[in-house]
């Protein structure tokens, strides 16, 4: 496939920050021209080992340096295109061209490739990842982040005076995860739960004290993490919703390297005490997943908790996941270490942590080959691009994490996944 022309644009993400969108015009052989766009998100609780993010304003110049070379080549596949960008960059962490610029081009190339062949993007990604599963048999589950904490929350200044609260919850994401196979029903249940939870929180804290965080989850003057979990679990039980609970602790955010202690609810905890805290949550609530329970360098603490929680007796029904995000940053070297140390059994996949589609697919395959599940994820600063929905379905991921079903940039991903579900599951 030849790239005939390309442009980089600056657009706004959901936090109102600048981000990049690539536009490519491509042609396969004598076929018709295909136009494709792709934009990239940005994280806030970013891992230290993520690839470099270029100031979007510098992207125009960088792109003009490589554009004429890109236009010269007739690319044989995605790998050739991505490898060329990696070679142009020439650094370990993409600090020359920036992972955001490279990724916007890599994803636009994938769209152009699928489009010029008249195939759906998720089918192209299925081939690319050698996914042998049938879509209908194992469709990704949505992880709805219905209560926000950590770096994704800013609380009003007067909450200290009114409620004695200086900051949001320590744990970053409080999720509900449907247990039913049908994605359409799962999405509806998630939406209904989200609405009911909003009403319930208004009753408890007053309507004016129910705000939204970066990922559309609720922010209230909760005193403790358990208080939020208690409300969620009660609502699930009361309505018999087919939902389980998941957490992303994003623990690097409340960790102090100096003394190797974590601070939760103003109390300092050793890694061992924090482990007990988590195991207690798994006992008390119907929890099935926990992401980043420890600091991003603590492979061994992850391993100890995984050893305690992920026993051999796990069946498909009671399976629990320890998900690594900041620990592994979608990076093959770090995933290898996590697999060897048995630091978890699932990896969070974020395209912009590594910076190309090809490298992301390699990490997904490594996870799959070693029996690790994958959860494909958005970032807290998002655009309307729904690429991750196609990626999650295409590679056969266990889950798709795109925040609460309450803001358009979050819904764009769930809606695209629903569209694919309908295409693949409705048989006449
Ligand atoms: P981020 O948060 O996009 O701000 O990094 C998401 C996550 O930690 O999973
Ligand atoms: Zn995370």
């Amino acid at each position: 496939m030849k790239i005939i022309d390309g442009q980089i644009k600056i657009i706004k993400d959901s936090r109102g920050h600048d981000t990049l969108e690539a536009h490519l015009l491509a042609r396969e052989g004598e076929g018709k021209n295909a136009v494709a766009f792709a934009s990239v998100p940005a994280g806030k609780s970013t891992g230290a080992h993520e690839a470099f993010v270029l100031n979007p304003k510098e992207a125009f110049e960088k792109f003009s340096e490589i554009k004429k070379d890109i236009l010269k080549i007739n690319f044989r596949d995605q790998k050739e295109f991505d490898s060329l960008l990696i070679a142009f960059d020439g650094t370990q962490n993409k600090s020359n061209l920036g992972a955001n610029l490279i990724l916007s081009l890599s994803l636009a190339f994938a769209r152009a490739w699928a489009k010029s062949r008249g195939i759906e993007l998720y089918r192209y990604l299925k081939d690319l990842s050698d996914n042998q599963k049938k879509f209908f048999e194992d469709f990704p589950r949505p992880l709805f982040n219905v209560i926000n904490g950590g770096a994704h929350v800013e609380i009003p200044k007067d909450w200290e005076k009114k409620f004695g609260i200086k900051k949001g919850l320590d744990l970053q994401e409080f999720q509900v995860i449907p247990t039913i196979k049908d994605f359409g029903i799962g999405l509806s249940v998630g939406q209904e739960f989200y609405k009911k939870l909003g009403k319930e929180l208004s009753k408890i804290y007053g309507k004016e004290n129910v705000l939204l965080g970066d990922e559309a989850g609720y922010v209230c003057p909760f005193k403790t993490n358990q208080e939020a979990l208690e409300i969620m679990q009660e609502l699930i039980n009361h309505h018999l919703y087919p939902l389980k609970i998941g957490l992303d602790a994003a623990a690097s955010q409340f960790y102090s390297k100096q003394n190797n202690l974590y601070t939760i609810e103003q109390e300092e905890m050793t890694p061992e005490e924090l482990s007990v805290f988590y195991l207690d949550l798994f006992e008390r609530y119907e929890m099935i997943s926990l992401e980043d329970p420890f600091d991003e360098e603590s492979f061994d603490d992850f391993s100890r908790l995984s050893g305690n929680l992920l026993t051999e007796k796990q069946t498909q029904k009671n399976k629990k996941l320890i998900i690594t995000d900041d620990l592994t940053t979608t990076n093959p070297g770090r995933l290898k270490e996590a697999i060897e140390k048995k630091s978890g059994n699932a990896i969070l996949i974020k395209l912009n942590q590594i910076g190309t589609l090809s490298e992301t697919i390699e990490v997904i395959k490594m996870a799959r080959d070693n029996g690790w599940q994958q959860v494909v994820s958005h970032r807290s600063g998002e655009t309307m691009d729904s690429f991750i929905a196609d990626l999650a379905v295409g590679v056969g991921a266990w889950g798709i994490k795109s925040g609460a079903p309450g803001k358009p940039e979050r819904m764009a991903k769930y809606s695209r996944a629903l569209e694919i579900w309908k295409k693949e599951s409705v048989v006449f």
Side-chain angles (χ1 to χ4, degrees):
M1 185 174 75
K2 282 210 75 152
I3 307 294
I4 301 159
D5 201 359
Q7 288 171 13
I8 296 294
K9 297 252 158 77
I10 290 184
I11 61 167
K12 294 287 179 195
D13 73 10
S14 54
R15 282 193 276 252
H17 299 160
D18 286 350
T19 192
L20 297 176
E21 184 171 78
H23 297 197
L24 292 181
L25 178 67
R27 189 186 304 143
E28 179 63 47
E30 297 303 308
K32 274 199 227 143
N33 288 351
V35 183
F37 311 112
S39 58
V40 292
K44 200 185 243 175
S45 67
T46 48
H49 300 278
E50 295 193 22
F52 178 79
V53 180
L54 183 78
N55 178 343
K57 292 192 177 64
E58 291 173 36
F60 302 113
E61 207 183 310
K62 295 276 181 189
F63 182 58
S64 69
E65 284 169 22
I66 58 172
K67 184 173 165 179
K68 54 182 179 315
D69 288 307
I70 291 175
L71 300 193
K72 274 188 214 151
I73 301 169
N74 191 3
F75 292 99
R76 278 168 305 193
D77 54 23
Q78 183 82 39
K79 209 162 191 171
E80 190 180 14
F81 182 75
D82 289 349
S83 302
L84 184 77
L85 295 178
I86 292 168
F88 278 144
D89 174 76
T91 69
Q92 271 292 317
N93 69 340
K94 307 200 171 57
S95 57
N96 180 14
L97 293 178
N100 44 344
L101 172 58
I102 294 176
L103 184 64
S104 65
L105 293 165
S106 176
L107 302 186
F109 182 91
R111 278 214 173 96
W113 187 277
K115 213 167 169 185
S116 66
R117 282 161 179 75
I119 57 168
E120 289 277 1
L121 180 58
Y122 63 94
R123 290 208 163 266
Y124 169 52
L125 297 170
K126 184 180 199 288
D127 287 348
L128 215 53
S129 62
D130 298 326
N131 172 21
Q132 304 297 327
K133 286 194 277 189
K134 291 200 173 74
F135 294 125
F136 179 56
E137 274 172 10
D138 200 3
F139 207 80
R141 297 138 188 81
L143 285 75
F144 300 112
N145 177 12
V146 291
I147 291 179
N148 287 184
H152 300 156
V153 163
E154 246 180 73
I155 62 163
K157 286 206 172 65
D158 65 348
W159 279 13
E160 185 170 3
K161 231 177 161 180
K162 270 165 71 183
F163 308 107
I165 286 168
K166 284 198 198 121
K167 59 190 224 10
L169 292 170
D170 309 299
L171 306 179
Q172 183 178 276
E173 302 181 10
F174 295 71
Q175 307 149 350
V176 287
I177 306 165
T179 54
I180 28 181
K181 221 173 150 184
D182 187 308
F183 187 88
I185 299 175
L187 180 54
S188 302
V189 171
Q191 286 173 304
E192 187 180 313
F193 179 85
Y194 178 66
K195 227 172 153 182
K196 282 241 161 70
L197 180 63
K199 279 194 185 143
E200 187 63 24
L201 294 170
S202 295
K203 254 198 256 162
I204 301 171
Y205 301 101
K207 208 171 177 187
E208 68 285 7
N209 298 316
V210 181
L211 313 175
L212 292 187
D214 284 354
E215 299 188 351
Y218 299 113
V219 177
C220 297
F222 301 110
K223 288 260 182 331
T224 64
N225 296 282
Q226 281 93 330
E227 188 174 310
L229 284 165
E230 206 66 50
I231 295 168
M232 286 168 67
Q233 187 67 66
E234 256 179 43
L235 198 61
I236 293 172
N237 294 350
H238 184 76
H239 294 277
L240 300 175
Y241 284 128
L243 293 169
K244 300 273 184 196
I245 291 176
L247 285 175
D248 178 5
S252 299
Q253 301 288 327
F254 53 88
Y255 174 68
S256 161
K257 210 179 172 145
Q258 273 145 354
N259 51 15
N260 192 26
L261 292 174
Y262 295 86
T263 306
I264 288 202
E265 290 149 20
Q266 280 118 51
E267 195 189 314
E268 288 189 329
M269 292 188 195
T270 62
E272 293 73 26
E273 287 165 344
L274 186 59
S275 256
V276 173
F277 172 83
Y278 290 133
L279 290 170
D280 180 56
L281 295 186
F282 272 100
E283 283 287 316
R284 278 204 226 182
Y285 308 106
E286 286 191 38
M287 254 175 79
I288 56 164
S289 69
L290 174 60
E291 182 181 327
D292 278 351
F294 300 99
D295 176 60
E296 61 197 339
E297 307 296 351
S298 304
F299 284 94
D300 297 333
D301 292 325
F302 272 76
S303 308
R304 268 187 290 276
L305 179 64
S306 297
N308 278 326
L309 195 71
L310 312 176
T311 56
E312 300 297 319
K313 288 191 291 291
Q314 285 211 95
T315 62
Q316 211 45 36
K317 268 218 148 113
N318 71 2
K319 198 170 172 70
K320 293 184 176 59
L321 297 185
I322 297 289
I323 306 172
T324 63
D325 172 14
D326 291 349
L327 187 80
T328 39
T329 55
T330 318
N331 179 303
R334 295 189 67 86
L335 175 59
K336 187 166 176 279
E337 186 170 349
I339 290 168
E340 279 166 9
K341 292 187 168 161
K342 297 192 169 61
S343 299
N345 61 350
I347 180 173
L348 204 76
I349 298 292
K350 290 168 168 168
L351 287 149
N352 73 336
Q353 285 181 326
I354 185 80
T356 64
L357 176 60
S358 299
E359 290 165 291
T360 305
I361 298 270
E362 283 314 308
V363 170
I364 289 170
K365 281 184 179 170
M366 186 194 282
R368 187 204 294 150
D369 292 346
N370 287 280
W372 277 45
Q373 303 283 359
Q374 314 99 49
V375 176
V376 175
S377 172
H378 69 157
R379 301 306 304 249
S380 49
E382 263 298 337
T383 71
M384 290 299 287
D385 197 305
S386 61
F387 195 98
I388 62 161
D390 287 76
L391 184 64
V393 178
V395 304
W398 184 88
I400 173 168
K401 181 172 107 154
S402 181
K407 285 185 182 175
E409 75 280 2
R410 312 295 147 188
M411 274 312 289
K413 285 72 166 168
Y414 294 133
S415 301
R416 171 63 181 155
L418 177 64
E419 189 186 339
I420 303 173
W421 168 258
K422 285 185 180 166
K423 273 188 216 282
E424 295 296 330
S425 67
V426 179
V427 184
F428 290 104

